[in-house]
Amino acid sequence: MTDHSCLFCKMVARTIPVKRVHEDDRCIAIEDINPQAPTHVLVMPRTHIATLNDLAAADEALAGHLLRVGAEIARGRGHADAGWRATFNVNRGAGQTVFHIHLHVLGGRPFSWPPG
Ligand code: AMP
Ligand code: ZN
């Protein structure tokens, strides 16, 4: 449920204070400390799930909730029509550095494809 060595669990538990741009009963969202776009928000579940590889069938609704919250944040910042990027990095080979799943919501600049 909670991993006391996990940075994002500590943010959820308020052991580490961080400004929340959204919170509800299932997730919180914060500004990324090292933004890669004018909008760079991280949406994370309150429960500790290390990677998307660890998602259980029981987590399906939660995963969908993270995406819907991310879309609402992107819409609220005016990115819905211009386009925005939703990213989950999975494991180190894809750039994951914090092992508590989080949706990157990136917006406010053009994005290329394929991603690097
Ligand atoms: P990832 O590399 O996909 O695991 O994403 C982790 C993200 O967390 C990176 O974009 C980091 O910049 C961000 N991050 C790390 N520490 C903090 C922090 N203290 N506050 C906000 N964002 C952070
Ligand atoms: Zn955690």
Side-chain angles (χ1 to χ4, degrees):
M1 207 74 176
T2 298
D3 177 339
H4 295 288
S5 67
C6 168
L7 175 67
F8 286 176
C9 282
K10 288 177 183 167
M11 291 182 180
V12 169
R14 299 184 190 275
T15 312
I16 296 176
V18 63
K19 180 171 167 256
R20 297 162 185 223
V21 299
H22 168 90
E23 70 175 310
D24 60 42
D25 59 328
R26 285 174 282 177
C27 71
I28 71 169
I30 65 168
E31 300 282 357
D32 197 291
I33 202 170
N34 182 24
Q36 301 301 310
T39 291
H40 190 170
V41 170
L42 306 174
V43 185
M44 67 190 74
R46 289 183 182 273
T47 55
H48 182 83
I49 300 168
T51 82
L52 280 194
N53 292 332
D54 304 298
L55 268 189
D59 299 320
E60 277 182 10
L62 174 62
H65 182 67
L66 300 179
L67 289 169
R68 196 177 62 74
V69 166
E72 285 301 316
I73 291 168
R75 180 184 305 283
R77 294 183 182 213
H79 305 313
D81 292 337
W84 56 284
R85 179 68 53 85
T87 301
F88 284 92
N89 295 323
V90 182
N91 270 337
R92 294 195 193 280
Q96 188 174 4
T97 57
V98 178
F99 288 81
H100 176 133
I101 62 168
H102 46 282
L103 170 65
H104 293 259
V105 176
L106 296 147
R109 66 167 172 83
F111 294 96
S112 58
W113 192 262

